[in-house]
Amino acid sequence: IKMGPRTATKKTREAKEANWNRLQDLLTNNKKALFVDVDNVSSLQLTKIRAALRKINADMIMGKNTLMKASLNRYLTKPEEGDFDYEQRKDSFKERPELNVVLGLLKANTGIIFTNGDLGEIKEILDSETRGAPAKAGSIAPDDVWIRAGPTGLDPKQTSFFQTLNIQTKINKSQVEIIQEKRIINAGDKVEATHAALLDKLKITPFSYKMRVVSVYDDGKIINPSILDIKPEDIIKSFSKSIRTMASVSLGSGYVVKAAVPHLIGNAFKNLVGVTFETDFTFKQADEMKKAAASGPAVAAG
């Protein structure tokens, strides 16, 4: 059956309504979300990411920002008699002023991943789905691009490409060899046609694209996404360093804090043992240390 324009319009409207309701359901049932930039992310990457997210009870939603904002605004508005969705929302509505910050995050090509679980686990999934990409003329470079020193496999007739970009070369064994590495593109620069042509000849795929986290939402708070790169071992290491610093300051100043107590007890014990070596006073633990010292290897005279 041939689908007419009215049928297509109906399907589009139904899809928008489904996204509208789904966003509101996700806002109701989740307290955490990652806002992600999906520029240059392929449909295959999206499919794999969605499948992986479902396994950890996380949901990703994407749509036009105007629709998403309209749905969110409606969700935040108290229902009143006469509204088209009054009966649907009157019993479930709750004041959620903390969600107002979300409106400012819906811009450009942004998707939202909702969860009540571990945000770091989601970040690992996003980082695992990375694809290599060639440099295309006119595109914006996401990273610096370097041409490394060494043989290129290109015949001497290709030296003009390198001369145009001021890359020093020599002819070695009938092929062009780069003398010194050179950065030809800076991150954020527009890729020139000469850059793209040279990289293509060298068979270099300089860029990689993945879903990038731009903001983290956690129960009403917006957090810098760099927090997702902090591992538990990093926290333990930092905490241990702080405890050692507190103990050192305490021992040096004489102001006792809890972190210094083990050191104070240890030092006091050493002092007591030292006294037993010089006097008749002794105790069980000191006797054991004396026996260990007596049975140890003799120290040669200096």
Side-chain angles (χ1 to χ4, degrees):
I1 301 173
K2 186 175 180 181
M3 184 179 294
R6 293 184 64 182
T7 306
T9 301
K10 181 181 177 182
K11 283 189 171 292
T12 301
R13 185 176 66 251
E14 289 174 349
K16 288 182 178 180
E17 288 175 357
N19 236 22
W20 175 292
N21 294 326
R22 183 164 174 253
L23 175 60
Q24 295 185 356
D25 288 342
L26 290 171
L27 289 167
T28 299
N29 298 319
N30 297 276
K31 291 188 175 182
K32 303 176 186 177
L34 296 183
F35 290 78
V36 293
D37 178 6
V38 296
D39 277 344
N40 299 303
V41 177
S42 69
S43 57
L44 178 59
Q45 284 175 286
L46 286 172
T47 300
K48 290 182 176 179
I49 289 170
R50 286 184 188 277
L53 291 175
R54 281 194 290 270
K55 294 178 181 178
I56 59 170
N57 296 317
D59 290 282
M60 179 166 61
I61 185 169
M62 297 176 61
K64 289 187 176 181
N65 290 333
T66 50
L67 177 69
M68 303 274 271
K69 288 181 178 180
S71 176
L72 178 55
N73 274 318
R74 191 66 188 168
Y75 181 79
L76 297 175
T77 303
K78 185 176 181 179
E80 297 180 356
E81 287 191 44
D83 290 347
F84 71 92
D85 56 356
Y86 176 73
E87 292 297 328
Q88 177 186 345
R89 300 176 58 229
K90 66 177 182 178
D91 296 327
S92 60
F93 176 79
K94 291 181 180 180
E95 295 282 353
R96 299 284 302 275
E98 72 277 8
L99 289 174
N100 283 307
V101 295
V102 173
L103 290 168
L105 301 176
L106 292 172
K107 52 188 177 182
N109 200 7
T110 302
I112 313 175
I113 300 173
F114 287 94
T115 186
N116 284 316
D118 185 358
L119 293 173
E121 192 174 2
I122 295 176
K123 177 69 160 47
E124 289 178 2
I125 290 173
L126 302 185
D127 290 343
S128 69
E129 289 299 333
T130 303
R131 70 176 180 90
K136 294 183 179 180
S139 63
I140 302 300
D143 305 295
D144 293 341
V145 179
W146 290 80
I147 299 294
R148 304 300 178 186
T152 64
L154 299 177
D155 64 74
K157 294 180 181 179
Q158 307 294 329
T159 54
S160 59
F161 280 101
F162 298 94
Q163 292 171 353
T164 303
L165 297 171
N166 296 317
I167 300 173
Q168 296 182 6
T169 62
K170 65 180 181 180
I171 305 302
N172 185 21
K173 297 180 180 179
S174 299
Q175 66 172 312
V176 178
E177 183 173 319
I178 298 171
I179 298 174
Q180 186 176 8
E181 69 176 8
K182 182 181 176 65
R183 180 169 55 190
I184 63 169
I185 306 175
N186 294 311
D189 287 353
K190 182 179 288 187
V191 177
E192 304 292 341
T194 50
H195 297 149
L198 178 60
L199 292 168
D200 182 59
K201 285 181 177 293
L202 294 174
K203 295 180 173 55
I204 295 176
T205 304
F207 303 140
S208 61
Y209 294 108
K210 63 181 180 180
M211 198 174 287
R212 184 173 60 88
V213 179
V214 293
S215 293
V216 177
Y217 173 86
D218 189 350
D219 202 12
K221 300 181 182 66
I222 300 300
I223 306 170
N224 191 299
S226 61
I227 195 173
L228 299 176
D229 296 321
I230 300 176
K231 305 297 182 186
E233 52 267 28
D234 297 328
I235 297 174
I236 294 171
K237 183 178 179 181
S238 179
F239 180 76
S240 299
K241 182 179 179 181
S242 298
I243 292 296
R244 289 195 298 270
T245 301
M246 287 177 61
S248 298
V249 172
S250 174
L251 294 172
S253 65
Y255 181 82
V256 179
V257 297
K258 194 172 183 179
V261 171
H263 301 279
L264 293 171
I265 294 173
N267 290 338
F269 178 76
K270 291 176 185 176
N271 290 336
L272 285 172
V273 172
V275 169
T276 65
F277 276 90
E278 302 295 333
T279 67
D280 293 332
F281 170 76
T282 189
F283 54 95
K284 181 180 178 181
Q285 290 81 0
D287 290 339
E288 291 174 356
M289 293 190 69
K290 287 179 181 179
K291 289 179 184 178
S295 62
V299 180

